[in-house]
């Protein structure tokens, strides 16, 4: 993959000018509509150009701020070469061509930061122009270039004789929402690192950009903390085989980085912490029955100063291990029964003047944890429960809305309070259902509430939740894909261009076949077939 | 695997005598309750014997009617050795044992037919006795011995240091129902042969013994007929990649045979045949609208003599390709609209004196197909629709009950008519649902209807249906397992001993971990973990 001599403009064409040029073309798998999620602005034609693996190169534009040696793009070039030419070791795509033709994909970025991490402000915009023998890809950042390479890879197709082609295409693309996440739960079932990496691959194919790692919860604590090793040695399902070592975590983060995916860790408290208690004595609240300790434990004990010292040390470690500027603090579903039963907690309530209102105690606890993470320069996300109970809402930053019912009512309340929102309620994909239900996840309109433009901008994105009660590595992939891809299009693409389920259906079927071709065990949407069926049994 | 010098009694102990010896032991994964489905009569103790792969042999009893060279048992010995010792190439199970101890499993059968096929009368009874250094397995047939080997393989366990053990055990076992099937649908989605073979493996682990191959249907005709090659070349999703060649079919049948599994083909007609019409002109009924053909086609045309000539030739081929004495003729969900619209069909109705009653026409059609298959010495199975409409029910043999609602009412009606029944209604596992729904499939009581002992004997078994609308190789395995195992225990084990969901739950969890260990992508029942998680991503 040599750097070639072509010169590029080094700037993407601005979308508002570009839109004027739009020609709406017929839907068809070999045109730009074959790209999932649908790009924001595009034209394509039936003019096609041969592409073959022997004479195909990814190169850096001469004026690109990143050049060979850029880890993100060097890796992306390698990955996408294999994805575009899955059989490139055999002679593919050369049948019927006596004269070989060179095809180059010239990539240029404005900012050359190749060693950093994607963050909440990273531009993912790109501009892709495909003509005879050449595709030009321009982006502000390497993360935008990675999205553009994904698009390019989806534009290349094979004819019935095995030859590869790409059609004349112009694309100017950018995400509708900045935060497009998938939550995996590695506590209810342990997910081997391989399963996580494979999910990161599939996420990149649908242009997801946040892996929300719900890493610990009641059933197990697989995160191996260097500060508190007992948490996993006593709280994991197995202290050796069912843990994520520091090296595992680093591997996940660096693998995700190369796909432009942020890793957002969640250490949910004060509820959902049963497994924490095994390795950290005195952390959880002892529950009482009839005036004596019952032997069971409730949420984290908010009445002890030692709790906050422990949390400060834990989050200090977490903040340095996970580079992302966001951290998820949980805060959902706190059961007050145990706190109420405990005389020390009740005495603390008296002292603090909380009366009998345990939501105040919860707010006090979360306020402390938010302060701890703020001091570590992290933006905290909390589940909506915290917002609902909190009086001093201004100390909060980002609220994740997860409850069913009128979730847009909640979104509206949160943005009215001036806080940012991530929407998860309509996208609980851990719940099984016939795959044709994908339309249920597709026909979600996250901004369909009354509010100002400024308020709507506070909806920073959405998230697919794959809770682990019934999910592990055996069924994660077919349960996630292609249903999560429906969500991906909702979060990336223009809503007006993607409001029709009927138009989306054949495109999603086609995209699901692409996932199979890439070894992703994506389940079928309905009766039918793919050219290359899943064989990996 | 040499034939050793041990002498065996060559007869299994009769169960009625044997039951007197029964000692009910504590449930625990290392006792006989760790076997799924639960054996009929058993004792076990905590006395355990070391087993290690270096000094472990399967041998034939001296008086066994089958000896080395018996394809079924030679293969089973090899398969089960690998299943018992998954890492046997490395030094496993020898740690901590300075003195190696021989362990032999001595297998004897009364009848030495090793080259035949399992059939509806095959005995699967076996008797297994495990003592120090030796297990004795006696069975009437090689099929019973295969079931006993499965049981033995489930009795062997590994301790925390990697050493293998088996507890002292006595088992006398036989299936409650003779017919324990799984239906796979290879028409709505094509299932690669590998996916079918893997399913056969998993079926054997749960002691299923019938693979009901719903091989063709409306969407595609993947069976490559040697008599009518156009059926697949025009009716399959793809004429080369989405077909079962004669060699594929032979492979499936011979692979299934070695597991003691019958392959029951279904060629469903007169409905569900859209794909047949592509390769066989004039087979389907042309539908009319306003007095002229509409260009669409309905069920098989029952008014043309050519239809029956075609069916006779097709079933002649099918009968010789599939050795099983049963063949499934389908007969479900026939839509009369198209027949009614067609003037030739109406004229035929007049001629036959059927008036306007199209159920008579359907009965006439099925009667003809039943006669064709009877002449080929095949027992035909039909879906319950045929029984419901049929007047001359005596020409029917086996009825498969599939409709929801009061399915036992239908079972009762069928056995009252003196016909045999296969029950499928409660076991439509293609429908997704949270895995904890397994109990719904477990708490089915197939004989809980008013009827004589003779009538109840006519219920020959049951079947899991895995229809293909939303299922292909990507999600087949986790959707099938371990839920189908719940059905397997219902069909194999004594109902009284297996009526408690609470007792079954930990046993099924344990069995699901065994499936993972064997590479079967069986989904989790609920929160928890297995020692060896599924890694095969």
């Amino acid at each position: 993959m040599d750097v070639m001599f072509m010169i590029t403009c080094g700037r993407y064409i601005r979308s508002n000018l570009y839109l004027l040029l739009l020609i709406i073309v017929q839907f068809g798998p070999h045109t730009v509509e074959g790209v999932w999620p649908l790009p924001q602005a595009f034209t394509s034609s039936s003019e096609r150009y041969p592409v073959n693996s022997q004479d195909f190169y990814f190169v850096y534009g001469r004026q690109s701020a990143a050049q060979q040696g850029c880890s993100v793009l060097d890796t992306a070039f390698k990955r996408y070469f294999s994805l575009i030419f899955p059989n490139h070791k055999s002679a593919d795509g050369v049948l019927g061509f006596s004269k070989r033709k060179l095809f180059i994909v010239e990539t240029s970025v404005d900012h050359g930061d190749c060693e950093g991490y994607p963050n909440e402000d990273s531009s993912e915009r790109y501009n892709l122009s495909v003509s005879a023998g050449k595709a030009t890809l321009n982006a502000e950042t390497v993360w935008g270039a990675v999205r553009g390479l994904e698009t390019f890879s989806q534009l290349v197709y094979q004819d019935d004789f095995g030859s590869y082609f790409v059609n004349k295409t112009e694309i100017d693309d950018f995400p509708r929402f900045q935060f497009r996440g998938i939550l995996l739960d590695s506590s209810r079932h342990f997910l081997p690192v391989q399963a996580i990496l494979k999910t990161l691959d599939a996420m990149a194919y649908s242009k997801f950009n946040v892996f929300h790692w719900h890493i610990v919860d009641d059933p197990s604590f697989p995160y191996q903390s260097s500060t508190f090793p007992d948490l996993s040695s006593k709280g994991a399902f197995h202290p050796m085989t069912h843990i994520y070592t520091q090296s595992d975590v680093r591997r996940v983060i660096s693998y995700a980085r190369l796909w432009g995916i942020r890793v957002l860790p969640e250490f949910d408290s004060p509820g959902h912490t049963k497994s924490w208690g095994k390795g950290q004595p005195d952390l959880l609240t002892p529950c009482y029955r009839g005036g004596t300790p019952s032997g069971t434990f409730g949420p984290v004990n908010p009445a002890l100063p030692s709790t906050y010292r422990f949390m400060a040390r834990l989050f200090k470690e977490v903040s340095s291990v996970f580079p992302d500027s966001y951290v998820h603090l949980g805060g959902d579903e706190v059961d007050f029964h145990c706190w109420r039963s405990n005389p020390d907690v009740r005495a603390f309530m008296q002292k603090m003047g909380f009366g009998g209102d345990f939501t105040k105690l919860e707010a006090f606890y979360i306020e402390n944890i938010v302060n701890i993470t703020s001091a570590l320069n992290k933006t905290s996300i909390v589940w909506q429960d915290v917002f609902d109970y909190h009086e001093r809402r201004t100390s909060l930053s980002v609220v994740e809305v997860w409850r069913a019912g009128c979730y847009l009512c909640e979104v509206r309340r949160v943005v009215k309070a001036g806080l940012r929102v991530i929407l998860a309620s309509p996208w609980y994909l851990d719940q099984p259902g016939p795959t044709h239900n994908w339309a249920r996840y597709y026909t979600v309109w996250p901004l369909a509430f009354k509010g100002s433009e400024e308020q709507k901008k506070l909806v920073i994105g959405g998230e697919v939740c794959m809770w682990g009660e019934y999910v592990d590595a055996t069924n994660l992939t077919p349960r996630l894909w292609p249903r999560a891809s429906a969500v991906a299009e909702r979060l990336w693409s223009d809503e007006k261009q993607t409001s029709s389920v009927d138009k989306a259906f054949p495109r999603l079927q086609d995209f699901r076949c692409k996932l199979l071709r890439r070894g992703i065990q994506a389940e079928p949407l309905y009766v039918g077939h793919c050219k290359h069926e899943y064989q990996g049994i």
Side-chain angles (χ1 to χ4, degrees), chain A:
Chain A
M1 270 166 265
D2 298 314
V3 178
M4 306 275 288
F5 52 86
M6 312 300 175
I7 296 164
T8 67
C9 68
R11 313 243 131 238
Y12 59 91
I13 300 164
R14 296 183 75 109
S15 82
N16 46 355
L17 284 174
Y18 187 80
L19 279 165
L20 299 172
L21 304 169
L22 256 187
I23 304 162
I24 300 306
V25 292
Q26 286 275 306
F27 279 94
H30 297 158
T31 64
V32 74
E33 287 84 0
V35 177
W36 189 280
L38 191 70
Q40 296 279 350
F42 53 84
T43 68
S44 71
S45 83
S46 58
E47 197 176 323
R48 67 177 196 178
Y49 313 114
V51 176
N52 80 70
S53 64
Q54 318 298 315
D55 301 289
F56 180 93
Y57 299 93
F58 287 108
V59 301
Y60 290 91
R62 190 184 267 186
Q63 301 196 345
S64 171
Q67 293 292 340
Q68 202 169 8
C70 170
S71 60
V72 174
L73 291 181
D74 283 357
T75 307
F77 292 166
K78 214 167 154 181
R79 281 173 169 172
Y80 279 109
F81 186 89
S82 301
L83 290 171
I84 294 170
F85 305 109
N87 306 316
H88 74 103
K89 275 173 192 164
S90 60
D92 57 343
V94 292
L95 287 168
F97 286 92
S98 50
K99 261 207 269 181
R100 286 177 160 191
K101 286 187 183 168
L102 191 69
F103 198 101
I104 65 154
V105 178
E106 188 183 86
T107 304
S108 303
V109 294
D110 299 345
H111 305 292
D113 181 10
C114 296
E115 302 312 317
Y117 291 88
N119 63 52
E120 72 275 19
D121 297 320
S122 297
S123 163
E124 291 170 289
R125 182 187 275 270
Y126 66 90
N127 177 279
L128 176 67
S129 171
V130 180
S131 54
K134 180 173 179 191
T136 308
L137 172 63
N138 295 315
E140 294 175 356
T141 69
V142 291
W143 318 117
V146 170
R147 300 294 169 251
L149 290 167
E150 174 57 41
T151 297
F152 178 79
S153 76
Q154 293 187 26
L155 287 172
V156 179
Y157 59 92
Q158 236 177 333
D159 71 4
D160 287 343
F161 306 98
S163 299
Y164 290 94
F165 294 93
V166 61
N167 286 29
K168 184 172 171 62
T169 305
E170 295 284 336
I171 291 178
D172 183 33
D173 200 13
F174 53 88
R176 178 184 181 199
F177 293 107
Q178 160 215 115
F179 186 109
R180 305 178 310 281
I182 289 190
L183 174 151
L184 296 185
D185 170 359
S186 59
S187 171
R188 291 180 176 88
H189 284 98
F190 179 78
L191 298 170
V193 170
Q194 267 314 321
I196 295 175
L197 302 186
K198 187 93 177 185
T199 302
L200 291 168
D201 289 344
M203 283 173 68
Y205 305 156
S206 287
K207 298 191 172 79
F208 279 103
N209 69 348
V210 180
F211 165 37
H212 174 171
W213 197 348
H214 187 87
I215 191 166
V216 299
D217 202 301
D218 283 329
S220 76
F221 196 106
Y223 172 75
Q224 191 178 48
S225 161
S226 49
T227 320
F228 302 102
D230 278 356
L231 288 171
S232 64
S233 70
K234 296 184 178 167
F237 283 134
H238 188 283
M240 300 301 290
T241 58
H242 287 61
I243 58 165
Y244 302 106
T245 63
Q246 291 289 317
S247 141
D248 289 334
V249 172
R250 274 197 302 272
R251 188 164 166 222
V252 168
I253 294 168
S254 75
Y255 193 92
R257 184 185 85 86
L258 292 169
W259 279 130
I261 295 173
R262 300 158 56 192
V263 180
L264 166 67
E266 178 180 355
F267 285 79
D268 190 354
S269 75
H272 290 281
T273 48
K274 277 197 173 53
S275 67
W276 302 39
K278 294 182 182 167
Q280 186 65 18
D282 302 329
L283 178 67
L284 303 186
T285 309
C287 312
Y288 278 64
R289 199 167 30 209
T292 52
S294 67
T296 61
F297 293 88
V300 164
N301 193 334
L304 298 180
S306 58
T307 289
Y308 303 100
R309 287 195 298 270
F310 165 80
M311 288 294 181
R313 292 182 64 199
L314 179 66
F315 278 105
K316 191 177 173 198
E317 174 183 326
V318 167
S319 297
S320 78
V321 170
F322 292 88
D324 201 77
S325 68
Y326 281 27
V327 64
H328 204 303
L329 303 181
D332 57 321
E333 300 182 306
V334 182
D335 182 356
F336 296 146
H337 285 91
C338 182
W339 280 353
R340 194 175 283 129
S341 78
N342 183 297
D344 299 334
V345 172
R346 284 202 309 270
F348 183 75
M349 296 273 290
Q350 283 305 107
K351 188 182 125 197
M352 299 298 289
F354 295 158
D357 186 355
F358 284 88
T359 65
K360 287 186 173 150
L361 180 59
E362 191 195 348
F364 167 84
Y365 171 82
I366 291 283
E367 191 83 6
N368 274 282
I369 307 301
V370 167
N371 289 341
I372 287 169
T373 48
S374 299
L376 294 160
N377 285 322
K378 296 284 177 175
T379 301
S380 51
I381 310 181
V382 291
W383 295 106
Q384 73 176 82
D385 314 42
V386 174
F387 172 81
D388 294 343
Y389 289 130
H390 230 65
E391 286 181 356
R392 283 194 51 228
R393 287 172 168 173
T394 49
S395 61
L396 301 178
S397 305
V398 186
V399 176
E400 183 160 5
V401 172
W402 68 275
R403 288 191 187 273
C406 183
Y407 51 82
L408 287 183
C409 304
E410 179 77 0
V411 168
R412 200 175 163 211
R413 281 190 290 273
V414 178
V415 297
K416 266 182 142 174
L419 305 180
R420 281 167 281 173
V421 169
I422 296 162
L423 180 61
S425 309
W427 295 313
Y428 267 42
L429 294 193
D430 58 307
Q431 303 189 5
T435 334
H436 68 249
N437 265 358
W438 71 273
R440 201 174 109 190
Y441 310 110
Y442 192 70
T443 52
V444 169
W445 321 112
L447 301 184
F449 60 89
K450 262 194 184 167
S452 66
E453 277 311 297
E454 280 314 298
Q455 286 174 347
K456 294 198 177 185
K457 276 188 189 152
L458 290 171
V459 180
I460 60 172
E463 188 164 88
V464 165
C465 290
M466 186 54 67
W467 297 104
E469 280 86 349
Y470 303 107
V471 175
D472 70 3
T474 62
N475 57 357
L476 171 64
T477 308
R479 197 165 288 194
L480 202 43
W481 311 105
R483 298 190 305 167
S485 304
V487 183
E489 181 150 291
R490 182 56 52 237
L491 294 173
W492 178 281
S493 306
D494 179 59
E495 194 172 279
K496 286 201 195 91
Q497 293 181 75
T498 56
S499 58
S500 160
V501 167
D502 290 343
K503 279 187 188 164
F505 181 67
R507 294 178 50 244
L508 186 55
Q509 274 198 314
D510 179 57
F511 180 64
R512 183 246 166 188
C513 289
K514 286 188 178 125
L515 292 177
L516 290 198
R517 185 66 171 129
R518 295 177 178 197
I520 304 297
Q521 216 172 330
E523 68 178 9
L525 291 165
Y526 194 59
V527 173
H529 78 291
C530 294
K531 192 171 171 183
H532 300 277
E533 300 289 354
Y534 181 75
Q535 303 281 346
I537 289 281

